[in-house]
Amino acid sequence: MGNGWHGKLLRVNLTAKSCTTEPLNMEWAAAFVGGRGLASRYLVNEIDPAVDPLSSANKLILATGPLTGTYGAANGRYMVVTKSPLTGTIACSNSGGYFPCELKYAGYDLVIIEGKADRPLYLKIHNQQAELADASHLWGKTTGETEDLIRAEFHGDAKVASIGPAGEQMVRFACIVNDKHRAAGRSGVGAVMGSKNLKAVAVRGTGGVAAANKEAFRDTARETLKLLREHPVTAEGLPALGTAILVNIINQSGALPTRNSQCGTFEAAEEISGERLVQTFLKRNKGCMGCVIACGRVTRLADPRFSGSGEGPEYESLWSLGAACGVSDLAAIVKANYLCDEYGMDTITMGSTVACAMELYERGILTEAEAGMPLKFGDGNAVVKLVEMTGKGEGFGCQAGLGSYRLAEKYGAPELSMSVKKQEFPAYDGRAIQGMGLEYATSNRGGCHVRGYLVSPEILGVPEKLDPQVIEGKAAWAKAFQDVTAVVDSAGVCLFTTFGIGIPQVTKLINAATGSAFSEEEMMVAGDRIYNLERLFNLKAGIDPSQDTLPKRILGEPLPDGPMKGSVSRLPEMLPEYYAARGWDPKGIPTPEKTSSLGLA
């Protein structure tokens, strides 16, 4: 049992069908913390950034952090790092549940998966024993079916992360689903897993994670728990309504992208809100392992058209499958969300792609014959059907499986894709919330809200209230939030904890767990180092700074409604200030002085 870092990684070569244990590079661990940062360091070292993401030369890294599996906050996260088939950027997708802690308890900090199997396989890990097993009987199964079958044949207490049919077919936004309802959701990491003929990773771990300084860890854990139980977001809002609490809040702020971002408010927001979910399909809330927030939603459909049970939808899914498509049919949204879990697809890109297709259809660019059905905004049944077609790879679903950018580009209208670097941005309009527009444009994995969640200060007033329309100072805020998030992701801590705790508590927990003596300033430098490492990878992959931009609609079409009516994103004014705050040159390239100062030269 290690202290924070176990000091071991598992290397799985699918071509050779071998599993070997290697020592962890502890110098890298100290510099890049773990999780996102450490896995990114390994990826940069081991693949050519120009590699085809769906080729055998790409690698897939499952990474825990030094706090994964410990107590004190929501310390149950892991990362999947690879090169994205959706964006061509470095991909890092985050998931919680129970699988991440189980992987850590098995004794590994990282699992590096390389090569390609000649037939479907799955990886079995039982503490320090790892082997590859035939998965031919699992191919074609949903993620839930796969988990049940693996647990029956391998170990009843195993935790499983798998791909569904979407990953097998290499849908560009396929995800990796663990514990049936939690997902490493964005950037197409499931497609990379499918390209390698790897169906699942099943883990049974009975070890633990010891703290180097147990007393200091206990004291800091108590501090973090107290802060989380006192903060209104983590103690009240998220437990009561989950992330869906945001539907009405963001809509009232004029920032809910509606009908493929043609508007900033949805007239039926109340019908798809967290409050309405409680009144209709919610059964109880649920937390990831060791989490005191418990923001998860356990739901069951009670509708004559649809059946099923599961978890969610979360805020982003309610938006993407709802408001983005002009859909107020909550039952249809819940069903579409279930299907995304079963087939293994990112709900944000899926819903945004449906919304894009609906606009293409309503503009007469996409015909009913091509789509196989009418695709009108507001049609919940059409959303459910297209999600299922995409998951199965049937008909027009094959085109939807490319994501909105490639779909819109195929029909000669790439400007109708609400994406950055080919990844669809989430449920916050960058015209209404200026800092989020900057964050989307500069995110290292394309359109993303969880690289620097400026909604927190701009809308929620945490840690202080910022005017969402004022651009002064937003560049420094974006950089700070991005760097903090890089540390939190790398530590193995849930980002939601940062409503109540911050770098002071995370630093103390890491030090107590690992026996290190990092200062808060050194932790922030580590975040900066991770962000620059990702940037350098993207530049070498051909993602040049001209892609630090937003769709034409967000830059040039004023919001037509709501309290932010008339607003456009002022990204061109903020971007130079952001580059300067990062220590990059005016073209957005990290300077030699910057990379040298971070040890990246």
Side-chain angles (χ1 to χ4, degrees):
M1 186 185 300
N3 294 329
W5 299 299
H6 285 307
K8 296 178 183 177
L9 67 84
L10 177 67
R11 186 176 296 274
V12 180
N13 188 302
L14 294 169
T15 305
K17 297 182 176 62
S18 64
C19 301
T20 56
T21 299
E22 299 176 10
L24 195 71
N25 186 318
M26 297 310 297
E27 182 179 337
W28 289 357
F32 295 92
V33 185
R36 171 182 165 186
L38 184 57
S40 296
R41 182 65 183 85
Y42 270 92
L43 189 77
V44 166
N45 190 62
E46 298 196 8
I47 74 166
D48 179 351
V51 71
D52 178 349
L54 296 177
S55 73
S56 61
N58 195 11
K59 298 191 180 187
L60 189 74
I61 304 177
L62 314 185
T64 64
L67 297 181
T68 303
T70 63
Y71 64 96
N75 300 343
R77 312 298 291 190
Y78 91 114
M79 300 282 166
V80 180
V81 175
T82 186
K83 184 180 179 182
S84 167
L86 182 68
T87 65
T89 68
I90 193 166
C92 176
S93 292
N94 182 322
S95 185
Y98 287 76
F99 175 85
C101 297
E102 199 80 6
L103 181 58
K104 191 63 176 280
Y105 297 157
Y108 297 108
D109 297 301
L110 304 178
V111 178
I112 300 178
I113 299 166
E114 57 194 18
K116 178 180 179 178
D118 57 6
R119 57 189 171 87
L121 299 174
Y122 77 94
L123 174 63
K124 299 192 296 187
I125 302 172
H126 193 164
N127 293 325
Q128 297 297 296
Q129 301 296 317
E131 63 177 312
L132 291 162
D134 180 68
S136 299
H137 60 301
L138 302 174
W139 211 249
K141 302 293 186 185
T142 66
T143 57
E145 292 168 340
T146 298
E147 179 166 333
D148 289 341
L149 288 167
I150 287 177
R151 293 181 72 176
E153 67 184 48
F154 169 44
H155 197 293
D157 292 322
K159 304 299 181 288
V160 180
S162 68
I163 58 171
E168 297 169 4
Q169 297 167 66
M170 290 173 278
V171 167
R172 294 275 178 164
F173 50 90
C175 58
I176 300 173
V177 176
N178 60 274
D179 305 302
K180 295 188 178 180
H181 309 295
R182 301 288 170 165
R186 306 224 65 195
S187 305
V189 296
V192 175
M193 194 161 159
S195 75
K196 295 183 174 299
N197 279 330
L198 183 66
K199 178 65 175 178
V201 177
V203 184
R204 177 57 180 152
T206 59
V209 185
N213 188 329
K214 294 180 175 59
E215 183 176 344
F217 194 92
R218 183 187 65 238
D219 291 345
T220 305
R222 287 173 174 169
E223 176 190 350
T224 61
L225 285 169
K226 182 175 184 292
L227 290 168
L228 293 174
R229 286 170 172 160
E230 290 176 348
H231 197 280
V233 174
T234 52
E236 299 170 17
L238 287 173
L241 296 175
T243 57
I245 192 174
L246 288 168
V247 174
N248 283 326
I249 293 172
I250 301 302
N251 191 59
Q252 290 162 9
S253 300
L256 190 67
T258 299
R259 296 181 183 86
N260 203 35
S261 294
Q262 293 183 79
C263 302
T265 62
F266 185 37
E267 68 279 3
E270 181 61 40
E271 297 302 311
I272 66 170
S273 66
E275 291 84 349
R276 188 55 51 88
L277 189 65
V278 169
Q279 295 167 359
T280 52
F281 307 124
L282 182 70
K283 294 302 177 183
R284 60 184 175 87
N285 62 339
K286 179 180 179 181
C288 298
M289 187 169 179
C291 179
V292 298
I293 301 171
C295 67
R297 311 284 92 186
V298 177
T299 52
R300 180 180 295 276
L301 276 172
D303 185 274
R305 299 165 299 156
F306 307 117
S307 61
S309 61
E311 292 187 29
E314 302 295 330
Y315 168 64
E316 305 295 339
S317 307
L318 287 164
W319 160 76
S320 65
L321 301 165
C325 299
V327 170
S328 60
D329 183 346
L330 184 56
I333 296 168
V334 173
K335 181 62 177 181
N337 179 75
Y338 290 166
L339 290 172
C340 285
D341 279 353
E342 292 168 12
Y343 289 107
M345 297 185 292
D346 169 27
T347 58
I348 296 178
T349 290
M350 182 73 256
S352 297
T353 301
V354 177
C356 177
M358 286 177 163
E359 185 168 359
L360 288 167
Y361 176 83
E362 294 206 345
R363 285 174 175 258
I365 300 171
L366 171 67
T367 68
E368 183 175 338
E370 291 169 314
M373 61 182 149
L375 283 176
K376 296 181 180 179
F377 282 119
D379 189 343
N381 291 324
V383 172
V384 172
K385 185 174 181 181
L386 187 49
V387 168
E388 189 164 22
M389 290 170 64
T390 305
K392 291 181 175 180
E394 295 177 349
F396 184 67
C398 294
Q399 304 304 315
L402 298 172
S404 71
Y405 185 87
R406 290 175 176 84
L407 174 66
E409 185 179 47
K410 178 180 178 179
Y411 284 92
E415 71 278 4
L416 298 186
S417 169
M418 297 301 109
S419 61
V420 175
K421 301 178 178 74
K422 299 185 177 68
Q423 178 161 275
E424 293 73 8
F425 61 70
Y428 314 92
D429 197 302
R431 293 168 289 189
I433 310 174
Q434 294 293 330
M436 283 307 294
L438 176 62
E439 151 53 20
Y440 294 157
T442 58
S443 164
N444 284 328
R445 69 169 187 172
C448 176
H449 61 301
V450 290
R451 282 297 174 268
Y453 192 63
L454 287 179
V455 170
S456 186
E458 291 186 288
I459 299 297
L460 303 178
V462 179
E464 63 181 82
K465 186 69 174 76
L466 301 180
D467 186 329
Q469 283 293 296
V470 170
I471 65 170
E472 285 74 23
K474 291 292 172 65
W477 276 91
K479 177 189 182 299
F481 266 57
Q482 289 169 343
D483 292 350
V484 168
T485 300
V487 172
V488 170
D489 286 347
S490 300
V493 177
C494 176
L495 186 60
F496 289 171
T497 62
T498 57
F499 287 114
I501 69 172
I503 285 295
Q505 289 77 31
V506 174
T507 302
K508 288 192 287 185
L509 285 170
I510 291 174
N511 285 340
T514 63
S516 304
F518 299 116
S519 67
E520 294 171 24
E521 291 75 18
E522 287 172 326
M523 275 291 105
M524 289 300 290
V525 170
D528 194 15
R529 181 180 298 117
I530 293 163
Y531 215 83
N532 276 270
L533 177 74
E534 295 169 337
R535 178 74 169 190
L536 292 169
F537 178 96
N538 287 348
L539 289 168
K540 292 176 182 176
I543 310 298
D544 64 73
S546 69
Q547 296 188 48
D548 295 342
T549 189
L550 295 169
K552 292 180 181 178
R553 174 166 291 166
I554 307 303
L555 291 171
E557 294 180 21
L559 275 168
D561 63 332
M564 299 300 179
K565 182 178 179 178
S567 299
V568 296
S569 171
R570 297 170 65 187
L571 175 67
E573 298 172 68
M574 294 184 283
L575 200 56
E577 185 180 346
Y578 175 84
Y579 288 164
R582 277 268 172 225
W584 299 347
D585 69 20
K587 294 182 179 181
I589 309 293
T591 64
E593 294 78 14
K594 180 67 176 183
T595 56
S596 178
S597 72
L598 296 172
L600 298 175

